[in-house]
Amino acid sequence: MWENIKDFASTFFVTGDPLIYGADVSIALTSIAIVFVLTYFKKWTWLWREWITTVDHKRIGIMYLIASLLMLFRGGVDALLMRTQLALPNMKFLQADHYNAVFTTHGTIMILFMAMPMMFALFNLVVPLQLGARDVAYPFLNSLSFWLFLMGAMLFNLSFVIGGSPDAGWLSYPPLSELSHSPGVGENFYIWGIQISGIGSLATGINFLVTILKMRAPGMKMMKMPLFSWSVLSSSIIIIFAFPILTVTLALLFLDRFLGAHFFTMDLGGNPMMYVNLIWMWGHPEVYIVVLPAFGIFSEVVATFSKKKIFGYNSMVFSMMLISIVSFFTWAHHFFTMGASANVNVFFAISTMVIGIPTGVKIFNWLFTMFRGRITITQPMLWTLGFIPCFAVGGATGVMLAVAPADYQYHNSYFLIAHFHQVLIGGVVFGYLAGIYYWWPKVFGFKLNDRLGKWAFWLWNIGFYVCFMPQYALGFMGMTRRLYTYGSDTGWDLGWAPLNLISTVGAFLMGLGFIFQVWQISYSIRKGERDLTGDPWGGRTLEWSIPSPAPMYNFAVEPQVTTDDAWWKVKEDRAKGIKPAPVKYEPIHMPKNSAIPFVMSVCWFIAGFGFVFDWMWMAIPGLIGVAICLLARSFSYDTDYYIPVDEIERTEAALRGRTV
């Protein structure tokens, strides 16, 4: 009996690596600390009522934000582990199999479990407020989306200490991801973690598409919407068409592994290249899914801190919608070397270059907006200014990669790694950080400390260039991706070692920048400048017309919109002495909290865990639990309520007393 338990534990838990044992201890201590704090301060009921069962888009956005920052830490630690291993030739810091697992989890976490939830956090925190809405179109579905994401992320991250992490690369190409090359459960964790969170991502895309089309304030025509909301609309369209491709692709891979199908094997009619085509039919639109909202953020920030209307509003809208279409016609540029015909390569080379045109249009629009503007260099504006040269270099190197004959040289080299980090960090991460700094006072009611924020900005930016500029040179010098070590002769004779060491220093500088941001948040919670106006930046859109943080119902009276930059127009009218219409409150219709999204997501987690280990005794009850939750929801009729006028009056009076 004891021997059976020992045998099971030795295969169930990951052992043999000090880093894994350290993670085990950290997880245990953190879990104990959380349970102790919640118990000691008697906060379990508060946690359940106010957060776990909430359908309030603002609280859901905050939970997305917290989760994304935790995932940024986890993915960043993976990056530092890799850079430490590659700092010098013949390093013994990580073994080959551990290195493969680390770079697999790094890519997956940063794209799907960091960038996506950070994007969804801003969707939730900002879009309904910009539209003058009181919630999203489907509050219940919004809660379910978050909990599905979180359960998928938890399932994926468990693989680090239970069962073993996936190690076939962040896109898990066959045959490396097939049973023949990955017989353990790591790939199953990959498949089910992404599948469960992907359902939530698809639901979020549907939710915000309907919210934008149907929940706008009276008078807000489509061409009067703020550009951030336009960017969310274009991103949501891509999500709706791209994520089903990912779902089907991973389902087919799981059938290969679980039932012995042969969709992506070389024998019995399968074809690994079909997987590569399918995964990139999702994967390249995914890049634009995460970068388009960043473009919307920069548009809001530049207009606000230049004290000017955005230059070329119509062209900005057109370019974003064009990107959402053309993004589906560029996927094959990821494998020009697969042996396709010249005509195929030419088509995808041209489409890749074409998509650079609407992207470049935005850069000029932002620059022209700043031209002769009264620019204020705030933290959001700093990140925007840092983005522009960084993304310009990323775009230029992208055009270089779009040239099919040249790509034969660049393909699979560190030049490519430098390019996509230039775009994804310089574009996506810088953009989302600009958005977080910009809307932080609206969400939490206080600004983040400026001095610590500038330290974080410069450490991030200097560290970025120190880290990734040498990698362009390493790519030209022949260093390929996925190397976990290189010989001393290769390192010193070819010049790899000095450049890798410099790159590692840059990575640690970015890590130090993240530490400053954690310090900045901690310090500002206690001593940050409080927002007593609701409009600390002199904003132009509707979210700045209400107190900070926004009340549960967002707007006591539904705003009437007559032009774009609706709040700026109201402020101009007030300056001219034009008085607003008298306020008349009416009962506000709001959705009730629900425990079903959380319970259903837990059931999905149980089912996914069962499928990972091929435990049908766990997977089937988990799926039955999902079905029961769906049935319970279909018979839920008491799902909403009205906030009475007297409660609205009391809330508004309290908010006015707090607001200067």
Side-chain angles (χ1 to χ4, degrees):
M1 175 69 176
W2 178 243
E3 289 300 321
N4 290 336
I5 294 174
K6 285 174 62 178
D7 290 341
F8 170 78
S10 65
T11 56
F12 185 72
F13 295 103
V14 180
T15 59
D17 191 312
L19 292 173
I20 303 295
Y21 295 137
D24 291 335
V25 173
S26 299
I27 292 170
L29 292 177
T30 302
S31 301
I32 292 169
I34 291 171
V35 171
F36 173 79
V37 169
L38 290 172
T39 304
Y40 182 81
F41 291 102
K42 299 179 181 179
K43 290 293 185 180
W44 286 105
T45 303
W46 166 83
L47 180 66
W48 175 263
R49 185 181 63 250
E50 300 294 334
W51 294 95
I52 292 177
T53 62
T54 187
V55 294
D56 183 351
H57 68 94
K58 298 179 289 297
R59 295 197 172 190
I60 291 170
I62 291 170
M63 291 191 290
Y64 267 123
L65 181 60
I66 293 169
S68 67
L69 293 175
L70 291 173
M71 290 297 102
L72 178 59
F73 172 75
R74 164 72 206 277
V77 169
D78 283 345
L80 296 180
L81 293 175
M82 286 189 289
R83 287 312 320 164
T84 301
Q85 170 64 20
L86 294 172
L88 293 169
N90 291 326
M91 288 285 283
K92 305 297 183 185
F93 181 65
L94 296 176
Q95 298 301 315
D97 56 346
H98 194 181
Y99 183 88
N100 289 343
V102 167
F103 86 70
T104 298
T105 56
H106 168 73
T108 309
I109 286 170
M110 286 302 208
I111 292 292
L112 290 165
F113 300 130
M114 185 280 289
M116 291 293 286
M118 194 173 285
M119 177 181 79
F120 290 152
L122 293 169
F123 282 19
N124 275 280
L125 295 171
V126 178
V127 171
L129 302 184
Q130 281 200 335
L131 299 179
R134 290 185 171 126
D135 211 316
V136 295
Y138 307 115
F140 176 92
L141 186 63
N142 198 29
S143 175
L144 179 61
S145 298
F146 168 75
W147 289 112
L148 284 172
F149 149 73
L150 189 65
M151 293 302 165
M154 287 176 62
L155 185 63
F156 181 87
N157 278 275
L158 269 181
S159 65
F160 189 58
V161 294
I162 295 177
S165 295
D167 58 3
W170 82 275
L171 288 175
S172 286
Y173 289 173
L176 293 176
S177 55
E178 296 280 0
L179 275 175
S180 57
H181 290 72
S182 296
V185 298
E187 284 306 311
N188 295 341
F189 272 114
Y190 175 93
I191 291 169
W192 282 100
I194 294 175
Q195 284 288 48
I196 293 170
S197 73
I199 297 170
S201 298
L202 178 59
T204 300
I206 295 169
N207 207 343
F208 278 90
L209 177 73
V210 178
T211 299
I212 292 169
L213 294 179
K214 291 292 187 181
M215 303 285 286
R216 301 189 308 278
M220 185 181 282
K221 305 297 184 185
M222 293 289 286
M223 294 307 291
K224 293 178 183 176
M225 278 201 315
L227 283 172
F228 179 70
S229 293
W230 266 111
S231 72
V232 173
L233 176 63
S234 57
S235 180
S236 297
I237 291 170
I238 305 176
I239 288 172
I240 290 169
F241 286 99
F243 264 81
I245 302 173
L246 176 66
T247 300
V248 171
T249 305
L250 293 179
L252 295 177
L253 179 61
F254 185 70
L255 290 175
D256 274 12
R257 295 176 57 84
F258 189 66
L259 295 178
H262 293 278
F263 293 105
F264 306 127
T265 61
M266 288 300 291
D267 52 343
L268 299 177
N271 186 350
M273 274 309 303
M274 186 54 64
Y275 178 93
V276 179
N277 273 279
L278 287 170
I279 202 72
W280 279 115
M281 287 172 72
W282 160 80
H284 201 78
E286 166 66 12
V287 173
Y288 293 101
I289 286 171
V290 294
V291 81
L292 278 168
F295 293 160
I297 292 166
F298 293 132
S299 300
E300 303 291 344
V301 169
V302 167
T304 296
F305 296 112
S306 298
K307 301 292 190 297
K308 282 178 64 180
K309 200 178 180 70
I310 193 74
F311 179 89
Y313 175 94
N314 291 350
S315 65
M316 294 286 276
V317 170
F318 177 76
S319 63
M320 282 191 284
M321 299 310 292
L322 183 63
I323 287 172
S324 69
I325 297 170
V326 180
S327 65
F328 284 94
F329 298 95
T330 61
W331 82 85
H333 71 217
H334 288 274
F335 39 93
F336 280 138
T337 58
M338 75 175 183
S341 68
N343 289 337
V344 171
N345 285 352
V346 165
F347 173 84
F348 284 99
I350 291 173
S351 66
T352 304
M353 294 178 190
V354 164
I355 206 168
I357 296 172
T359 305
V361 164
K362 295 176 180 54
I363 301 277
F364 286 104
N365 284 2
W366 296 322
L367 292 174
F368 280 123
T369 302
M370 288 186 277
F371 180 64
R372 291 182 177 174
R374 291 172 291 160
I375 299 174
T376 307
I377 304 299
T378 59
Q379 290 181 75
M381 195 65 178
L382 266 180
W383 287 97
T384 302
L385 294 174
F387 150 82
I388 291 175
C390 189
F391 198 77
V393 173
T397 53
V399 173
M400 293 171 67
L401 288 162
V403 181
D407 188 67
Y408 275 73
Q409 171 65 35
Y410 310 139
H411 188 78
N412 233 28
S413 74
Y414 259 71
F415 183 93
L416 180 60
I417 286 185
H419 160 71
F420 68 68
H421 280 89
Q422 187 106 37
V423 174
L424 291 174
I425 295 180
V428 175
V429 177
F430 283 14
Y432 291 172
L433 289 176
I436 289 168
Y437 282 108
Y438 181 57
W439 283 298
W440 188 279
K442 177 55 56 183
V443 177
F444 297 103
F446 62 90
K447 289 184 179 181
L448 291 171
N449 181 266
D450 195 59
R451 181 173 55 87
L452 293 173
K454 288 179 178 177
W455 271 97
F457 169 80
W458 287 112
L459 286 167
W460 263 96
N461 272 263
I462 294 170
F464 175 83
Y465 286 104
V466 172
C467 181
F468 292 106
M469 291 300 110
Q471 293 183 14
Y472 285 113
L474 286 167
F476 283 132
M477 295 160 71
M479 185 171 177
T480 58
R481 301 162 67 187
R482 304 183 179 92
L483 285 179
Y484 90 97
T485 190
Y486 49 96
S488 56
D489 293 339
T490 305
W492 294 110
D493 293 350
L494 297 181
W496 292 6
L499 291 175
N500 271 303
L501 181 59
I502 293 170
S503 182
T504 300
V505 171
F508 276 90
L509 284 175
M510 285 192 286
L512 187 58
F514 179 77
I515 291 173
F516 266 87
Q517 287 175 314
V518 174
W519 181 10
Q520 179 188 23
I521 292 171
S522 174
Y523 178 86
S524 301
I525 288 172
R526 294 175 287 112
K527 299 184 179 181
E529 177 189 343
R530 266 42 194 175
D531 174 21
L532 300 177
T533 66
D535 186 16
W537 306 120
R540 308 179 71 85
T541 46
L542 286 176
E543 71 269 28
W544 304 110
S545 67
I546 56 178
S548 304
M552 178 177 57
Y553 46 75
N554 295 345
F555 296 89
V557 177
E558 200 171 34
Q560 302 290 319
V561 176
T562 59
T563 183
D564 53 351
D565 289 347
W567 175 232
W568 190 260
K569 176 68 164 57
V570 170
K571 290 191 288 188
E572 286 183 332
D573 288 345
R574 288 180 180 177
K576 295 174 184 176
I578 301 174
K579 295 182 179 181
V583 173
K584 182 182 179 182
Y585 297 127
E586 295 180 357
I588 296 175
H589 178 257
M590 296 295 291
K592 283 186 176 180
N593 287 359
S594 175
I596 295 176
F598 176 74
V599 175
M600 188 191 301
S601 301
V602 170
C603 291
W604 268 113
F605 179 90
I606 293 169
F609 197 86
F611 280 121
V612 165
F613 285 94
D614 197 10
W615 294 343
M616 291 301 99
W617 58 266
M618 179 181 286
I620 292 173
L623 293 178
I624 292 173
V626 172
I628 291 172
C629 288
L630 290 170
L631 195 64
R633 173 61 180 173
S634 68
F635 286 98
S636 298
Y637 300 109
D638 185 20
T639 58
D640 48 26
Y641 70 103
Y642 281 89
I643 302 176
V645 170
D646 58 342
E647 184 177 336
I648 299 169
E649 290 175 342
R650 286 196 303 272
T651 303
E652 290 297 304
L655 291 172
R656 283 196 297 272
R658 193 183 71 197
T659 304
V660 175

